[in-house]
Amino acid sequence: MKKLVFFILLAALCACQSKPNGSAEELSVSPATIKAGYNLDSYELEVVSNAAWTAEIEGTDGNAVSWLTLTRASGRGNASIKVRVLENKFSDSRTSMIVFKTAGGLKETVSVVQEGNTASDIDSDSAVLKVGTWNIERPTSELNYSLGYWPNRREGAIETIRKANFDIIGTQEASKDMLDDIQSGLTGYEWFGSRRIDYPNRNGILYKTARLKLLENGHFFYSRTPDVDYSTWEEDVAHQQYNCCWGKFQDKRTGTIFYLFNNHFHSSYESKLQPMRDSLRCWDARLLKEKVAQIAGESFALCTGDFNATEEWYSNVTGQKVHDARIGYVELVKGGILIDSRFVAENKINDNEASGVGFLVTGQSETDSKYDHVFLSSLASGGYRVTLYEVITDSYLMTHQGVYTTYDPKQGVAPGEQFQSNPSDHRPVAATILLIP
């Protein structure tokens, strides 16, 4: 008898837990569809429920949605919610979903369809700009260092850029001859760069002339006298003139004016100089932010480069932590002026892959770190969305053209032997950006 009473009470308790307030969950939302004009506007949704619920905005293509906002994203019981729809500046319409759910599994979906801007002749596809950065590694004429020998990797470098289809890319370390080769091997590109030609600090900007119009360009050096050519910080005992070249462009499709600042910060690998190099990169970062504000102002600005700084520890191929390379990176993002495209991208490909990897695809000799970045300026008065971030991992079959190298035994390959190699000891990093007029 006692057991029977126990099971009756247990069943009653479970029934009470599954039915709040003694009744089943209810959820309805109206209207089921919002048809919005292209102008900025607000619309009201009515939620009728006897349970706790959440609301989440979802893109129909799986991407994040930036043109819709809700006054609240959760609640309990009945509620009114305002949906704010931003102005659509493109000619094509757009659709999103607002999904309401309860803990018990009830689900209601509201469709939001915003019409295209009849006054615009720009569709969102044509406003996409693909931006890249790539340290292509200095040219080496010594045949015994065939992994870096430019004729040995030239076609791979050209094919990588062609396949990526960059609209604009900042390069580091490539000499004038290398950039001339790349331009000759591609169709529709031109380049310009900082005045220093030799290793390691020729910075170039390669861009599609059919898409972009170069309005102005310049450069500065990382030093206390940045406008003095070939100057450097007095504390840089290696006297390497690191610099930034920049260009002011107009996008011929959208009319958007933007700047690109292409950089190479002080290097990282000399352990005995490391504490000072960390300080130099911090100074580089501060000067870059000052120059972006001074030159670009409220115009949209991008900063590409090999910054020799990462949000992680600088580690060698065995995973050993060599030093804390976050110091320069922290200074770059400090104050919120520069935003790393990796962390605001709606979609990512190979985002956990390193960008500094060495030439050989296997047995790589260099570090396993992300020190190549595409930053965006937060000072811009216009809008943008980073729709995709990617670390490009293309490699090619190459043939050793010299004697066994002693530069790094792990990269030793016999003369005439074929090997799978990256076209540089860095990988290209790409950010696809939707320019919003």
Side-chain angles (χ1 to χ4, degrees):
M1 182 64 181
K2 289 181 178 179
K3 288 184 177 180
L4 179 59
V5 172
F6 171 77
F7 284 117
I8 291 173
L9 291 173
L10 181 62
L13 178 61
C14 292
C16 289
Q17 288 179 335
S18 63
K19 295 182 179 182
N21 299 321
S23 60
E25 284 187 345
E26 296 177 359
L27 175 67
S28 65
V29 184
S30 61
T33 302
I34 294 175
K35 294 184 178 180
Y38 65 81
N39 289 316
L40 170 69
D41 210 341
S42 293
Y43 302 84
E44 196 161 284
L45 292 176
E46 293 295 334
V47 180
V48 177
S49 179
N50 62 351
W53 49 265
T54 60
E56 185 176 357
I57 299 171
E58 297 181 359
T60 55
D61 53 4
N63 292 333
V65 177
S66 60
W67 53 275
L68 280 183
T69 59
L70 304 175
T71 53
R72 59 189 299 187
S74 63
R76 178 181 289 274
N78 299 340
S80 294
I81 298 178
K82 282 195 174 179
V83 181
R84 187 168 182 260
V85 182
L86 299 183
E87 180 187 359
N88 187 356
K89 296 188 177 183
F90 299 108
S91 59
D92 44 342
S93 63
R94 51 193 182 185
T95 302
S96 184
M97 303 292 181
I98 306 172
V99 180
F100 292 81
K101 296 178 182 179
T102 68
L106 295 181
K107 179 179 176 180
E108 289 286 319
T109 300
V110 175
S111 175
V112 182
V113 181
Q114 186 179 31
E115 68 180 9
N117 192 329
T118 56
S120 174
D121 58 359
I122 305 168
D123 61 61
S124 55
D125 288 339
S126 66
V128 168
L129 185 76
K130 189 167 186 180
V131 181
T133 186
W134 194 11
N135 183 326
I136 310 183
E137 171 64 11
R138 67 191 187 277
T140 54
S141 58
E142 303 89 347
L143 284 176
N144 68 329
Y145 181 23
S146 69
L147 299 178
Y149 183 51
W150 174 241
N152 200 37
R153 56 194 176 93
R154 175 174 50 213
E155 294 309 313
I158 292 171
E159 181 59 25
T160 296
I161 295 174
R162 179 187 292 112
K163 183 178 175 182
N165 196 27
F166 293 110
D167 292 304
I168 186 168
I169 179 173
T171 67
Q172 303 83 43
E173 294 200 18
S175 68
K176 178 181 182 299
D177 289 343
M178 290 172 68
L179 289 167
D180 284 343
D181 284 348
I182 291 171
Q183 179 176 310
S184 298
L186 298 170
T187 301
Y189 285 90
E190 289 186 2
W191 76 270
F192 65 92
S194 52
R195 292 179 184 175
R196 184 166 177 80
I197 296 174
D198 57 334
Y199 169 77
N201 296 321
R202 153 80 55 184
N203 292 322
I205 296 177
L206 186 74
Y207 65 99
K208 287 183 177 179
T209 55
R211 174 72 190 270
L212 301 172
K213 180 180 180 181
L214 178 64
L215 302 177
E216 185 181 353
N217 68 284
H219 65 270
F220 57 87
F221 283 76
Y222 285 109
S223 75
R224 290 183 175 82
T225 55
D227 296 326
V228 176
D229 284 351
Y230 314 121
S231 59
T232 186
W233 305 111
E234 291 86 342
E235 292 81 358
D236 179 12
V237 296
H239 304 295
Q240 292 181 316
Q241 293 86 12
Y242 288 84
N243 59 79
C244 170
C245 71
W246 60 268
K248 179 182 180 181
F249 297 88
Q250 182 176 35
D251 179 18
K252 295 180 180 180
R253 294 181 184 173
T254 65
T256 302
I257 302 293
F258 72 92
Y259 290 77
L260 188 140
F261 295 81
N262 183 39
N263 304 267
H264 197 183
F265 278 13
H266 281 79
S267 60
S268 310
Y269 43 81
E270 300 93 337
S271 58
K272 65 181 180 180
L273 300 176
Q274 194 50 55
M276 178 51 65
R277 289 294 169 93
D278 288 335
S279 296
L280 297 180
R281 280 191 294 280
C282 286
W283 298 344
D284 294 346
R286 291 169 194 161
L287 181 58
L288 173 60
K289 290 187 288 187
E290 290 175 9
K291 286 292 189 178
V292 168
Q294 173 189 333
I295 296 171
E298 293 186 356
S299 295
F300 182 55
L302 298 153
C303 295
T304 57
D306 173 3
F307 294 92
N308 280 307
T310 175
E311 73 275 12
E312 302 163 347
W313 275 79
Y314 185 96
S315 304
N316 61 22
V317 72
T318 66
Q320 178 186 4
K321 293 181 178 180
V322 179
H323 74 273
D324 190 349
R326 296 172 295 181
I327 299 171
Y329 183 89
V330 168
E331 188 61 44
L332 276 163
V333 298
K334 185 178 180 181
I337 294 176
L338 297 182
I339 300 169
D340 193 337
S341 60
R342 179 185 175 210
F343 296 108
V344 295
E346 297 169 0
N347 300 281
K348 301 174 185 179
I349 299 175
N350 298 327
D351 62 304
N352 290 320
E353 293 283 346
S355 62
V357 292
F359 283 102
L360 283 186
V361 173
T362 58
Q364 293 169 346
S365 68
E366 297 210 2
T367 60
D368 187 22
S369 298
K370 300 178 180 69
Y371 36 58
D372 302 272
H373 306 281
V374 177
F375 290 100
L376 306 101
S377 170
S378 65
L379 302 177
S381 56
Y384 61 85
R385 286 168 47 203
V386 182
T387 59
L388 178 64
Y389 170 92
E390 180 180 7
V391 177
I392 296 172
T393 58
D394 293 351
S395 62
Y396 301 88
L397 190 65
M398 301 186 185
T399 302
H400 192 290
Q401 298 185 19
V403 299
Y404 187 92
T405 176
T406 57
Y407 179 80
D408 187 333
K410 293 181 181 179
Q411 291 189 339
V413 183
E417 183 179 343
Q418 289 190 321
F419 56 94
Q420 196 72 16
S421 178
N422 301 307
S424 174
D425 59 348
H426 287 240
R427 288 168 170 164
V429 172
T432 302
I433 299 167
L434 178 63
L435 300 174
I436 303 175

